[in-house]
Amino acid sequence: MIDLSYLISAICFIYGLKMLSHPKTARNGNIIASLGMLIAIIATVYLGTELDIKMIAIAMIIGSIIGAFFAIKVEMTQMPQLVAIFNGFGGGASALVATSEFLKYGHNSTMFLIISITLSVLIGTLTFTGSFIAFGKLQGLISTKPITFPGQQLLNGILAIIMLIAAYMIPNYGMDSFYTILILSGLLGILLVIPIGGADMPVVISLLNSYSGIAAAMTGFVLVNSEPSAGNALIICGSLVGASGMILTQIMCKGMNRSLVNVIFGAVGGEVEGSSGEGKEVNIKSYSTEEAAMIFDAAEKIIIVPGYGLAVAQAQHAVREVAEFLEDKGKQVLYAIHPVAGRMPGHMNVLLAEANISYEQLKDLDEINPEFEDCDVAVVLGANDVVNPAARSDQSSPIYGMPILNVDKARTVIINKRTMNTGFAGVQNELFGYDNSIMVFGDAKDMLIQLLSDLKEL
Amino acid sequence: MIDLSYLISAICFIYGLKMLSHPKTARNGNIIASLGMLIAIIATVYLGTELDIKMIAIAMIIGSIIGAFFAIKVEMTQMPQLVAIFNGFGGGASALVATSEFLKYGHNSTMFLIISITLSVLIGTLTFTGSFIAFGKLQGLISTKPITFPGQQLLNGILAIIMLIAAYMIPNYGMDSFYTILILSGLLGILLVIPIGGADMPVVISLLNSYSGIAAAMTGFVLVNSEPSAGNALIICGSLVGASGMILTQIMCKGMNRSLVNVIFGAVGGEVEGSSGEGKEVNIKSYSTEEAAMIFDAAEKIIIVPGYGLAVAQAQHAVREVAEFLEDKGKQVLYAIHPVAGRMPGHMNVLLAEANISYEQLKDLDEINPEFEDCDVAVVLGANDVVNPAARSDQSSPIYGMPILNVDKARTVIINKRTMNTGFAGVQNELFGYDNSIMVFGDAKDMLIQLLSDLKEL
Amino acid sequence: MDITTITIFILAVFVGFEIITKVPPTLHTPLMSGSNAISGIAIIGAILATNIDGDIGMWLGFIAVIFAMINVVGGFMVTDRMLKMFKRK
Amino acid sequence: MDITTITIFILAVFVGFEIITKVPPTLHTPLMSGSNAISGIAIIGAILATNIDGDIGMWLGFIAVIFAMINVVGGFMVTDRMLKMFKRK
Amino acid sequence: MIIGILKEKQKYESRVSAMPETIKKLIKAEHSVIIEKGAGNKSFISDSDYKNAGANIVESDNDIYNKSDIILKVNPLDNDELEKIKDGSTLISFFQIKDEIKNIPQYINKKISILSMSHVPRTTLAQNMDALSSQSNIAGYKATIIGADHISKYMPLLMTAAGTIKPAKVLILGAGVAGLAAIANAKRMGAQVYAFDVRPVVKEQVESLGAKFIEVESDSNEGVGEGGYAKEVSEDYKKKQAELIKETIKDMDIIISTALIPERPAPILIDKSMVESMQPGSAIIDLAAINGGNCELTKCDEIINHSNIIIDGRSYLPSTMAQDASQLYSKNVFNLFNHIYNNDNPLNLEDEITNGSLLLNKGQVNNKILQNFIDQENN
Amino acid sequence: MIIGILKEKQKYESRVSAMPETIKKLIKAEHSVIIEKGAGNKSFISDSDYKNAGANIVESDNDIYNKSDIILKVNPLDNDELEKIKDGSTLISFFQIKDEIKNIPQYINKKISILSMSHVPRTTLAQNMDALSSQSNIAGYKATIIGADHISKYMPLLMTAAGTIKPAKVLILGAGVAGLAAIANAKRMGAQVYAFDVRPVVKEQVESLGAKFIEVESDSNEGVGEGGYAKEVSEDYKKKQAELIKETIKDMDIIISTALIPERPAPILIDKSMVESMQPGSAIIDLAAINGGNCELTKCDEIINHSNIIIDGRSYLPSTMAQDASQLYSKNVFNLFNHIYNNDNPLNLEDEITNGSLLLNKGQVNNKILQNFIDQENN
Ligand SMILES: NC(=O)c1ccc[n+]([C@@H]2O[C@H](COP(=O)([O-])OP(=O)(O)OC[C@H]3O[C@@H](n4cnc5c(N)ncnc54)[C@H](OP(=O)(O)O)[C@@H]3O)[C@@H](O)[C@H]2O)c1
Ligand SMILES: NC(=O)c1ccc[n+]([C@@H]2O[C@H](COP(=O)([O-])OP(=O)(O)OC[C@H]3O[C@@H](n4cnc5c(N)ncnc54)[C@H](OP(=O)(O)O)[C@@H]3O)[C@@H](O)[C@H]2O)c1
Ligand SMILES: NC(=O)c1ccc[n+]([C@@H]2O[C@H](COP(=O)([O-])OP(=O)(O)OC[C@H]3O[C@@H](n4cnc5c(N)ncnc54)[C@H](O)[C@@H]3O)[C@@H](O)[C@H]2O)c1
Ligand SMILES: NC(=O)c1ccc[n+]([C@@H]2O[C@H](COP(=O)([O-])OP(=O)(O)OC[C@H]3O[C@@H](n4cnc5c(N)ncnc54)[C@H](O)[C@@H]3O)[C@@H](O)[C@H]2O)c1
């Protein structure tokens, strides 16, 4: 019965993870996974050998309250560090369990057990300390800059070797060896994370997350002799998380255009914030086309704002393809044609007519401006001056007074251009730094083609 | 050691299957899987308990010779029935092993064992007989028409119930029950396959294939007590094949636009051969866009032949998108413009110019005709009269003497139109039935959009 | 120690590798957080550890249960919170 | 009979389901044929069956080996033959 | 054979029946070619070009009429030319029976053979000889250009700092070869294009060019005559059609009308009141002018202004594009010539194309419609 | 204020400076409007349309000159009009200094204020008042239409049963507003389009319209003058440019030249020998004709034929599209008027746009170039 429960909970985890990786099923996936956990816990407590239920209940309540408190209280922007710290506790728990198992068996264990315990403690503790450092970096408690010093990698290597020797010595030195391993693992966790820059933190957290899974699996190997079914459950779930976490880490690395090795050993993760070139600093958010695709997917009304850049990129066909794809998904797509967009009167008309975009979809300034307010996404493609809010508000601006397309009124504004350079009028555009603005850099045609393929993959 | 070998061979199978499902790695995947098999056999023979190696060797040699002989001799077109028959032998083997295990334990086995043996025999035998029927149908020994009679499903149900009862009775009646199950399973296999039409055979074979995997897994359950590691190996590999076979069956059903239930119980799988409407019967091959996509993927030089149908479908943009995708893959794409394609002079020019296809890519009749000979794929999109070889050869044809585009000289001709209807001149087109011709039916625009997404998925 | 244990381990690793295929970037964090919560399965070990003789072992188990529980409860809840954001109107 | 056996079974089923994702139609037949060859793993059982006491059991095992071998050898070879066709120039 | 090429004498005619390329081909086929001096001038082909191609330039057309076995022309012979042509020779040119019927007796007298470019059957095989198509296509194309020139508006939509310009609306009446060409080019230029025709099959063709088809509800094959041409339609249909066109016309900036029924006067689709209902500044290009016009007010070969509506009745649009028009025409003529004479059995009356285009065979009537016309004349 | 609108007296002028819509807006802003009878006729606007918009129709222009505070026109005043205009009034119209310099003393004498549409700065903000742009765009567009009409060939590629027609080649010299419009429309019509300009920034703009840019190798900013306009270029550059144009021109079917340098005669880019090297039947549309033309042979407002090359020097192309041209122009004028007079401080000389377009302020010179010209005249 208890075995079956574990099996069921493992199946829940597998399904849960599978569903978590698709936008539409993600939330249910999480619920299924937590259900699996509930089953596992209940099975262990009620069906297992006789336990001190009261103590366990107290511990569980304490843990639940702490976990729930932070999960609810913490701000959205602090999620990543929260995940990091939770993860650290998970690793810590594995290390503790392994420790207590070690205390139980002492150094008279089998080779297999010693290896398992050592790995479990090593990885668990490393995850624990590493996660705290990651937390500190994300929370701003520790410098987000990569902290490096000469011989860092060498030191890590030496630590690893010492631990290896200590593990080998366990049959001889017992607890002393064990403590050595415990302490050095903690140190290694710190040393491994500290040289990694703030921007690479998400990858590190994901990696640590994978580690905590592996730690659980190792704990499973430790337990499997005394408690075979619980051991198996830990092995399955732990290795599941370990493996999927590894894949996820790799996907994330690819998404950030970094290799995993690079993240771990490179210590080069600097800041990726864009600066506006000259003049006022604007704080911009640069998104990938994949992320932009997610936004489009959730939108219902989309207004496309073509500009001179679209013509330069000769992206008229690409934009039509994207628009048609979105329309096929039942979304409404309109084109907002600013009277002076481009470099000649009617430039955008010529351009879009070439791509056979029907006249009915083209709206001029007066028609479209009221529409931005209930539009989910305004996509600015290689336009700049014609969407510059300075024309409305900044009396000193050379374009003050020109009617513009009020894209900033849209829920989200996605702006595509190649750089932070100015447009024809040579003025900065503070739109790019607005809260609801997102930049997607790149040549308009390339970006749209990429976007289309990302949209199709959703 | 023997356990480890089995584990390795299981890993080989997993990897092998994974690689088999991608065009580029498929062949290596097959080799890896066969390597896994080799490891498993060697492990069993040399590392297992003491066996009568001579006898085993003789049996293996006989089996190998038979298998190899057919695998080499049989013609390409007969592959499917070969797979069917091989598969039958696999199922048979499982059933035989289960039988001999039953003989060994007699009816004094545990519940679990009885269930395992029953299932193993049932599925194995069913696979065996079913595969032979499938073979017969494909080979033309048995009518490919669905053979149905009233109460067929009822009969199957009764058989199943009898077997259930027989299985329940095993502890009481022993061998008699067992033989009942054996015989009835064989009968059931025949009854299940006989009502299925020739066109659905591939799905059936895939399903039987999945069954033979399941049979192996069941045999594994039978063996697991006496030979745990061999049992586990059978369970892993068997369930692997069983599950992946099931998925494959489903994919194939989807590809053929049939539901699995429909295939098994519908008994409606008629012929899907197209007939040319009136006049001479031509024997055509109708492909899906997915299959067409595979052909494009392998091609290097592609000539697109647009016709009136392309204009009717307003598919000019779609064709450009497909062409651009293929060009990005490094393929050469040209357009062959027949002087009278369409319904007005220059119709195709107007059409393609609208999609901004550059003039350089458009070739007229005299320029393009010599190019067909070293072209991998000629794609005829809604053209008919202008590619009708009767104009070259059939003196009685009203279009005899008109110069045509010699698409039939291309290695493969893919023809898209909606039906087998004639074109403007109202004459049949025997090109559609040529050996190197493939029809992809559907509206040109829809088809091209589908094709593009299939191309991207390759 | 048994080969079946290793077999199970390897099969589970395979499943883990296979089920995560294409994840859109916006799901990276929730997925990470969700699988992090699953790695709190160490709770099972922790609960069992409370049963170990000797004070130290028991207290270690106690703390381990707290730790694991933080991971599990916090992890699932925060994941859910994140995912709620993606829900369409 | 053991829960681990079932666990292994289920994990293997998961792996089986997951590894076959999108298969282009032209690979359907080879893939079918290849996995068919793998289901010849019954050969292991067949070989062991030859060891069973009693003539019938042994001969059944003998035939089973032949059958399974046909499946294995024929299956892999024919798959390879099919796949050779897809090789690019 | 000796093949003669003449300078066209008609007022607005700029085409020539053979290009130097064609002449090269004729000479390669061992014919000899004589050509009147200056025949190519208006198509921007100099006599030296012809000379280089191998033709003999002769000063006077008399020589050509005297020496040639076959005469290639664009237009049929006028009275003067008919005088000069040698008995028994063959003429290849356009030839509308209803316009030439008065001269037929003289052709017959002189035992002339007439291969009419206007009567080449409209079959798939004959398309490369189909000069009606090639020239109609030019006319349709050019009609949109002059239409765009006539109106005082832009064709495409334009959103500029000084306001949005709406696209011009163009209506094509009669979507045969010329109509389709007009649709295609007007679409290209950015206008909103509507089209109308009596033959319902045309709907698909119109839509295949991206234009809107305006439909009269009716018995579906009302307007379909023999050989894919249109025939005259019922009174009821005519009324519905007039109503529809009347409604549509008010919004149009350009109307290009091409409706024709073979060997009959063109149907009147636009009457005076309809013209007056149009917006000032609009234009009608009436390609049916030579057959009386689809507009009541059309004057053949004139551009008139009726209450601020321009009505362009020029029938010689192909001549305004003489370079391409001559090239296409000469290829058509050569292809017909080649089809007929480049086999063992010249003038094989079994052959659909030869038989169809041969109106007179050495003075003998070889065409039903022609015979009908002659019979009518005689009554 | 009383605003007067006149009928344009120039021979080829069909535009009018205010549309009924504009008049409605003026009246809404509490001005009163008087308009000369028949002012809108050539733009197909009847007097009753104006009346309905709220304007007073007056029979004679004298009344308008006497009563109006501000006069809206397309063209500057001719001698007769200059006589009639009341002292101290304001004129808004196009105004090319070099052409009007002889009349300046009289403007000064009469203390006229001139707001020149030709001198509205080309800034982003001023685009809706930029009549040079709106009218150049028309000219460029129309040039391709008349080019297509002049040549005796098709514009697009055509593969027909009677052979393949190659697309026409069009060369645009000078890719300013007019040039870009010409490129866009010629591309649309299916021609192969090449363009050339001295300002290298234009390359990207030309390519953004899908045409090919022909480049002269040189110091990259050679031709860039003040305010985005072109300036005169070095002799060496001129030679290279001539060479390049000479080579290119031979293959072209249509040349549309728009090269201008503000307040200077247009640069000669095509000389006689180059014209003669072109293929017979080709056409040159010289949009710079009014400033002397980019072609040596151009005659302003005439269409001439030089050795079978048509050279079209019509300077009044916007007038041939009077409906749209007037609409755009009147919006430009209104926007400028509104910009200047619709605030607390009319004629605010701090304002870039006001200051830029104001040539004379109650007879006082308010423009550097104008001052230079006057100084030159006086020497
Ligand atoms: N319409 C007319 O008649 C006319 C005539 C002359 C001048 N203008 C002026 O031109 C301006 C038009 O406004 P606009 O918003 O259309 O253009 P804009 O303000 O000039 O901005 C165009 C933007 O497109 C981006 N871009 C260029 N190439 C690109 C590519 N390949 N892919 C993606 N982005 C690209 C550029 O940024 P990056 O370099 O960072 O990519 C640039 O900021 C106005 O100031 C107007 O006054 C108009
Ligand atoms: N070019 C000219 O000037 C001109 C003028 C008049 C006539 N013609 C004649 O027209 C013919 C032209 O030859 P062609 O090969 O271009 O055309 P065609 O022979 O008329 O064949 C067109 C084919 O397109 C298919 N089709 C129609 N709609 C389709 C759609 N939406 N999607 C996919 N396929 C579609 C039709 O088959 P399904 O119905 O089965 O789909 C039809 O068989 C010649 O016979 C020529 O003589 C030409
Ligand atoms: N076989 C070929 O390859 C080929 C080649 C060229 C043309 N054709 C066919 O020949 C036929 C005739 O073409 P054409 O251009 O010479 O025709 P046409 O010049 O005789 O007539 C022009 C069009 O006017 C239409 N029309 C007649 N009366 C009308 C009315 N009252 N209202 C509106 N429209 C009216 C006709 O239907 C026709 O479409 C067409 O079907 C065309 O497709 C075939
Ligand atoms: N700010 C705005 O929004 C706005 C609006 C309209 C125009 N403009 C700009 O104003 C500038 C002038 O435009 P325009 O059309 O009135 O110019 P223009 O009519 O004065 O000149 C036409 C073109 O001829 C070119 N040219 C001059 N000499 C030449 C030579 N020797 N050879 C070849 N080409 C030569 C010029 O470079 C120019 O592009 C352009 O830069 C244009 O983009 C800006």
Side-chain angles (χ1 to χ4, degrees), chain A residues 317 320-321 354-356, chain B residues 317 320-321 354-356 456:
Chain A
H317 292 280
R320 189 185 47 77
E321 285 166 36
E354 192 183 308
N356 216 23
Chain B
H317 293 280
R320 187 185 48 77
E321 285 166 37
E354 194 183 308
N356 217 21
K456 286 190 178 155

Side-chain angles (χ1 to χ4, degrees), chain F residues 258-322:
Chain F
T258 77
L260 284 179
I261 300 158
E263 302 295 355
R264 306 236 345 123
I268 296 287
L269 302 176
I270 311 169
D271 63 20
K272 186 158 168 264
S273 72
M274 279 153 98
V275 173
E276 283 162 2
S277 78
M278 289 176 72
Q279 295 168 50
S282 309
I284 298 174
I285 322 295
D286 195 341
L287 296 184
I290 205 164
N291 288 313
N294 294 135
C295 173
E296 203 176 27
L297 306 173
T298 301
K299 293 219 174 69
C300 186
D301 292 341
E302 279 181 39
I303 304 172
I304 62 171
N305 183 323
H306 181 88
S307 65
N308 276 336
I309 311 295
I310 292 166
I311 304 174
D312 190 330
R314 283 182 279 173
S315 68
Y316 52 86
L317 292 186
S319 267
T320 67
M321 284 172 60

Side-chain angles (χ1 to χ4, degrees), chain B residues 1-272:
Chain B
M1 188 57 189
I2 181 167
D3 300 307
L4 200 67
S5 311
Y6 284 148
L7 191 55
I8 291 174
S9 84
I11 293 174
C12 286
F13 293 149
I14 294 175
Y15 263 104
L17 273 182
K18 212 172 140 69
M19 290 168 76
L20 264 169
S21 70
H22 287 283
K24 284 190 186 112
T25 53
R27 209 169 163 209
N28 288 335
N30 189 47
I31 291 169
I32 288 179
S34 58
L35 213 77
M37 191 59 80
L38 193 69
I39 294 172
I41 293 175
I42 292 174
T44 316
V45 176
Y46 286 98
L47 302 171
T49 30
E50 269 160 43
L51 292 166
D52 182 350
I53 302 222
K54 221 173 80 193
M55 192 179 82
I56 294 172
I58 292 174
M60 294 214 311
I61 289 170
I62 296 176
S64 301
I65 290 175
I66 298 176
F69 178 80
F70 284 108
I72 293 169
K73 275 286 144 198
V74 145
E75 273 174 44
M76 266 302 162
T77 49
Q78 297 179 316
M79 291 282 169
Q81 43 266 57
L82 198 63
V83 174
I85 203 114
F86 286 159
N87 184 42
F89 283 118
S94 293
L96 287 175
V97 174
T99 307
S100 71
E101 287 288 318
F102 184 77
L103 293 179
K104 182 163 132 202
Y105 294 106
H107 41 86
N108 306 318
S109 332
T110 60
M111 169 77 168
F112 181 74
L113 206 61
I114 290 181
I115 296 178
S116 305
I117 291 181
T118 309
L119 283 176
S120 178
V121 169
L122 169 66
I123 301 174
T125 314
L126 181 156
T127 307
F128 187 70
T129 55
S131 296
F132 272 88
I133 298 295
F135 169 80
K137 287 214 173 205
L138 285 171
Q139 190 70 8
L141 303 177
I142 304 173
S143 160
T144 54
K145 295 247 167 60
I147 299 174
T148 50
F149 51 86
Q152 200 160 23
Q153 315 240 11
L154 190 70
L155 179 62
N156 294 348
I158 292 169
L159 285 185
I161 290 168
I162 296 177
M163 283 191 279
L164 205 73
I165 296 169
Y168 184 72
M169 297 281 183
I170 284 181
N172 308 339
Y173 294 93
M175 283 319 278
D176 292 346
S177 278
F178 185 80
Y179 287 134
T180 312
I181 294 173
L182 193 70
I183 292 168
L184 291 190
S185 319
L187 196 61
L188 190 61
I190 297 173
L191 285 175
L192 281 178
V193 178
I194 229 154
I196 299 174
D200 283 333
M201 269 308 132
V203 177
V204 173
I205 296 176
S206 175
L207 190 66
L208 289 173
N209 175 32
S210 167
Y211 285 169
S212 74
I214 297 172
M218 291 306 141
T219 314
F221 281 113
V222 177
L223 282 181
V224 83
N225 274 338
S226 53
E227 304 274 352
S229 47
N232 272 343
L234 276 184
I235 292 173
I236 296 179
C237 305
S239 49
L240 192 69
V241 171
S244 65
M246 210 57 104
I247 292 289
L248 182 61
T249 310
Q250 211 154 7
I251 293 176
M252 287 171 72
C253 275
K254 235 178 88 189
M256 296 173 69
N257 242 331
R258 321 264 278 113
S259 85
L260 191 53
V261 184
N262 196 297
V263 169
I264 298 178
F265 296 113
V268 292
E271 288 293 86
V272 275

Side-chain angles (χ1 to χ4, degrees), chain E residues 45-181:
Chain E
I45 305 155
S46 66
D47 287 339
S48 62
D49 291 339
Y50 281 118
K51 206 166 195 163
N52 292 339
N56 285 321
I57 318 285
V58 294
E59 286 287 333
S60 122
D61 56 351
N62 281 325
D63 290 351
I64 295 186
Y65 285 117
N66 286 336
K67 291 189 194 151
S68 311
D69 302 314
I70 296 186
I71 288 188
L72 308 185
K73 273 197 98 259
V74 179
N75 298 298
L77 307 179
D78 60 21
N79 287 335
D80 174 46
E81 292 171 322
L82 203 43
E83 285 292 319
K84 293 179 182 169
I85 194 168
K86 156 176 103 172
D87 283 15
S89 42
T90 299
L91 170 71
I92 306 186
S93 77
F94 277 124
F95 204 96
Q96 278 237 24
I97 297 174
K98 80 172 174 7
D99 301 336
E100 301 299 324
I101 187 69
K102 57 190 183 311
N103 288 334
I104 286 291
Q106 200 168 350
Y107 281 106
I108 294 177
N109 279 344
K110 296 190 94 170
K111 300 216 180 318
I112 307 292
S113 298
I114 302 177
L115 284 161
S116 162
M117 294 305 289
S118 315
H119 291 82
V120 173
R122 307 299 276 271
T123 63
T124 289
L125 193 55
Q127 281 208 71
N128 63 2
M129 319 161 197
D130 186 353
L132 279 185
S133 277
S134 69
Q135 306 301 305
S136 296
N137 191 56
I138 293 181
Y141 162 82
K142 191 63 183 259
T144 57
I145 306 277
I146 61 178
D149 194 9
H150 282 319
I151 59 169
S152 59
K153 288 184 176 178
Y154 278 105
M155 294 286 266
L157 169 78
L158 225 58
M159 289 158 159
T160 76
T164 296
I165 300 286
K166 296 220 192 75
K169 290 185 173 171
V170 178
L171 173 66
I172 315 287
L173 295 173
V177 176
L180 291 175

Side-chain angles (χ1 to χ4, degrees), chain F residues 137-362:
Chain F
N137 191 57
I138 293 182
Y141 162 82
K142 190 63 183 260
T144 57
I145 305 276
I146 62 179
D149 193 10
H150 282 319
I151 60 171
S152 60
K153 287 184 176 178
Y154 278 105
M155 294 285 267
L157 170 77
L158 225 57
M159 290 158 156
T160 76
T164 297
I165 300 288
K166 293 219 192 77
K169 290 185 173 170
V170 178
L171 173 65
I172 315 288
L173 295 173
V177 177
L180 291 176
I183 292 170
N185 206 44
K187 274 285 295 177
R188 235 180 169 144
M189 293 170 83
Q192 279 186 328
V193 184
Y194 304 82
F196 169 76
D197 198 304
V198 279
R199 293 178 299 132
V201 282
V202 177
K203 176 167 193 257
E204 191 189 54
Q205 298 174 11
V206 166
E207 285 169 354
S208 85
L209 288 164
K212 290 212 180 72
F213 190 72
I214 298 179
E215 266 165 301
V216 175
E217 289 157 51
S218 84
D219 170 19
S220 64
N221 274 323
E222 178 86 51
V224 185
E226 225 171 308
Y229 285 104
K231 71 172 207 290
E232 263 186 294
V233 291
S234 70
E235 278 310 312
D236 176 51
Y237 184 93
K238 273 192 187 153
K239 241 175 68 189
K240 277 194 202 151
Q241 168 179 345
E243 207 53 50
L244 185 73
I245 295 180
K246 199 172 194 148
E247 269 318 297
T248 316
I249 237 168
K250 287 183 193 155
D251 295 330
M252 294 296 139
D253 297 301
I254 299 177
I255 297 175
I256 296 172
S257 73
T258 77
L260 284 179
I261 300 158
E263 302 295 355
R264 306 236 345 123
I268 296 287
L269 302 176
I270 311 169
D271 63 20
K272 186 158 168 264
S273 72
M274 279 153 98
V275 173
E276 283 162 2
S277 78
M278 289 176 72
Q279 295 168 50
S282 309
I284 298 174
I285 322 295
D286 195 341
L287 296 184
I290 205 164
N291 288 313
N294 294 135
C295 173
E296 203 176 27
L297 306 173
T298 301
K299 293 219 174 69
C300 186
D301 292 341
E302 279 181 39
I303 304 172
I304 62 171
N305 183 323
H306 181 88
S307 65
N308 276 336
I309 311 295
I310 292 166
I311 304 174
D312 190 330
R314 283 182 279 173
S315 68
Y316 52 86
L317 292 186
S319 267
T320 67
M321 284 172 60
Q323 267 173 310
D324 282 345
S326 300
Q327 189 189 323
L328 296 172
Y329 183 76
S330 81
K331 284 202 183 158
N332 293 140
V333 167
F334 174 79
N335 288 332
L336 181 67
F337 174 87
N338 200 44
H339 179 82
I340 295 178
Y341 293 102
N342 189 24
N343 57 35
D344 314 330
N345 183 6
L347 272 179
N348 170 10
L349 292 185
E350 305 280 276
D351 181 81
E352 188 190 359
I353 297 173
T354 310
N355 196 8
S357 41
L358 190 67
L359 297 188
L360 284 185
N361 186 0
K362 306 240 169 265

Side-chain angles (χ1 to χ4, degrees), chain B residues 306-315 338-348 380-387 399 402 416-426 432 441-445, chain E residues 122-125 127 133 177 180 204-205, chain F residues 159-161:
Chain B
Y308 179 57
L310 192 77
V312 171
Q314 287 283 293
H338 191 281
V340 308
R343 289 289 181 276
M344 56 166 255
H347 201 160
M348 296 301 115
V380 179
L381 298 167
N384 192 340
D385 298 341
V386 300
V387 294
I399 59 169
M402 177 174 84
N416 164 247
K417 54 204 301 289
R418 296 165 306 180
T419 63
M420 287 298 289
N421 289 348
T422 59
F424 182 85
F432 304 156
F441 288 108
D443 176 78
K445 188 169 176 187
Chain E
R122 307 299 276 271
T123 63
T124 289
L125 193 55
Q127 281 208 71
S133 277
V177 176
L180 291 175
E204 190 188 57
Q205 299 175 9
Chain F
M159 290 158 156
T160 76

